[in-house]
Amino acid sequence: MENRRSSSPQVLTFGEAMAMFVADDQGDLSAIEHFHRRLAGADNNVAIGLSRLGFHVGWLSRIGTDSLGRFIQHALSAEGIDDRYLHTDTQHPTGLMFKERAEEGADPRVEYFRRGSAASYLSVDDASTIDFSSLTHLHATGITPALSESACQLTRHLMQQARAQGASISFDPNLRPSLWPSEDAMRDTLNALASHADWVLPGLAEGQLLTQQETPDAIADAYLARGAKAVVIKLGPEGSYYRGMLTGKLESFTVPGQPVAKVVDTVGAGDGFAVGLISALLDGLSPKQALNRGNLVGAQAVQVIGDMEGLPNRQQLQALEANHPDA
């Protein structure tokens, strides 16, 4: 494998990484005394997943000069992430969050402490040293532009620059309505950003909210009309839906989900799906193979505690695919 430090990253993700404290026991967070510290953040979940599969991944963000910022930097470095674009902010703290231990695979309640965080001050200036000519792929989500106007401008800038250099771009809306001033602002901003992406990856409910369309094919057509080459809609346990022209002709199909014996933690399932899908397309696989891999990796993510602990390395992925011939 190439020297990741001597060459510029080929894949770039960006956003806010946070320290996450996960409850050891079930129950309301106010009654929990013991927590485990982990790493959280949708964008860096994807970065870690792609790095584990052997891609040279760069991460752009801001962290504080506090212990949580150092924890995040060490955790990302341990995963092989290239942190040359990770900036230290001496004026603002690192964001953190608390997550409850949910019962029976339910979505856990989460409390965020991120207002005024270092990452919320991300701006176009933070991209000044990026070598866009080396990029083959950029992954963006709808979380970063919700942090602040300057972070939104950075998102738009990165997507425009990556496209100008010929890199492929994936965009996961990853809605966080509480971070937006209004639903209309969220919808208008994210739909405009989606027009800069090649692969748009909404969940079904997200796509319905953003496009005001009900069916997967109508949601996909709304983004194809905006310039996307492919739209992949996550359907939860039912699998995923594809509509696009990555093979040179318009295709539409649904790939069934992978059965899971026990759902432990639903957070990170969509990020796992993105890791599987993006890695497969970058590996040169077909759209159907990419959706199969996305479903397979997403299924691994929900079977462990933590947002990215279940994401496989390349050897584990090969074993999983060997045991699931359809994938």
Side-chain angles (χ1 to χ4, degrees):
M1 182 175 294
E2 66 178 319
N3 185 321
R4 295 189 176 189
R5 296 296 175 183
S6 64
S7 60
S8 297
Q10 296 174 312
V11 177
L12 180 66
T13 65
F14 61 101
E16 180 169 33
M18 289 178 288
M20 175 174 64
F21 293 86
V22 184
D24 282 359
D25 303 302
Q26 295 177 349
D28 189 86
L29 286 173
S30 65
I32 303 300
E33 295 186 1
H34 300 287
F35 297 80
H36 272 88
R37 186 178 64 179
R38 299 178 184 272
L39 187 64
D43 314 84
N44 52 277
N45 288 340
V46 175
I48 289 169
L50 292 174
S51 181
R52 287 181 183 176
L53 294 178
F55 295 95
H56 181 184
V57 182
W59 168 249
L60 187 155
S61 188
R62 297 179 75 88
I63 53 174
T65 56
D66 43 50
S67 61
L68 297 182
R70 294 192 296 275
F71 160 70
I72 288 171
Q73 185 165 20
H74 294 157
L76 291 173
S77 294
E79 292 286 354
I81 304 295
D82 190 321
D83 63 1
R84 70 182 68 194
Y85 305 132
L86 180 60
H87 305 280
T88 300
D89 186 326
T90 61
Q91 303 297 316
H92 304 99
T94 305
L96 72 153
M97 58 186 285
F98 292 84
K99 184 168 75 171
E100 74 173 9
R101 180 70 61 88
E103 300 181 26
E104 303 300 327
D107 291 340
R109 284 190 292 272
V110 178
E111 292 185 2
Y112 294 97
F113 296 84
R114 71 198 311 180
R115 186 179 300 276
S117 70
S120 70
Y121 286 87
L122 280 164
S123 71
V124 173
D125 290 342
D126 293 315
S128 61
T129 61
I130 291 177
D131 179 8
F132 286 98
S133 66
S134 72
L135 285 188
T136 57
H137 188 75
L138 174 77
H139 179 69
T141 76
I143 301 174
T144 306
L147 298 177
S148 64
E149 178 57 34
S150 64
C152 185
Q153 292 172 3
L154 171 67
T155 303
R156 186 181 304 110
H157 173 76
L158 290 174
M159 296 178 80
Q160 290 173 338
Q161 293 299 312
R163 169 161 280 190
Q165 289 293 327
S168 55
I169 303 171
S170 52
F171 180 68
D172 185 341
N174 227 317
L175 299 188
R176 298 292 189 273
S178 64
L179 295 179
W180 292 94
S182 70
E183 188 175 292
D184 285 342
M186 177 177 71
R187 180 183 298 112
D188 293 345
T189 302
L190 296 188
N191 284 339
L193 288 171
S195 68
H196 299 296
D198 299 299
W199 316 331
V200 181
L201 318 176
L204 179 59
E206 291 176 329
Q208 290 169 334
L209 180 60
L210 291 173
T211 67
Q212 305 290 281
Q213 302 295 328
E214 287 299 315
T215 63
D217 57 337
I219 294 168
D221 283 341
Y223 287 115
L224 292 174
R226 287 179 171 271
K229 296 176 182 176
V231 181
V232 181
I233 300 175
K234 293 163 282 189
L235 305 175
E238 284 71 47
S240 50
Y241 168 87
Y242 169 91
R243 186 168 174 84
M245 300 188 65
L246 294 182
T247 60
K249 60 181 180 179
L250 184 64
E251 293 181 303
S252 303
F253 53 80
T254 299
V255 175
Q258 292 289 334
V260 173
K262 183 179 181 181
V263 175
V264 176
D265 186 348
T266 58
V267 178
D271 303 331
F273 179 87
V275 168
L277 178 93
I278 293 167
S279 67
L281 292 176
L282 294 180
D283 283 345
L285 301 185
S286 70
K288 186 162 288 187
Q289 290 171 314
L291 266 67
N292 266 310
R293 183 184 285 182
N295 291 347
L296 186 60
V297 177
Q300 308 314 303
V302 302
Q303 296 182 66
V304 299
I305 293 291
D307 296 3
M308 52 75 183
E309 279 73 5
L311 300 177
N313 59 33
R314 182 65 73 166
Q315 184 176 6
Q316 291 167 333
L317 176 63
Q318 291 171 343
L320 284 168
E321 292 184 327
N323 291 328
H324 298 81
D326 289 342

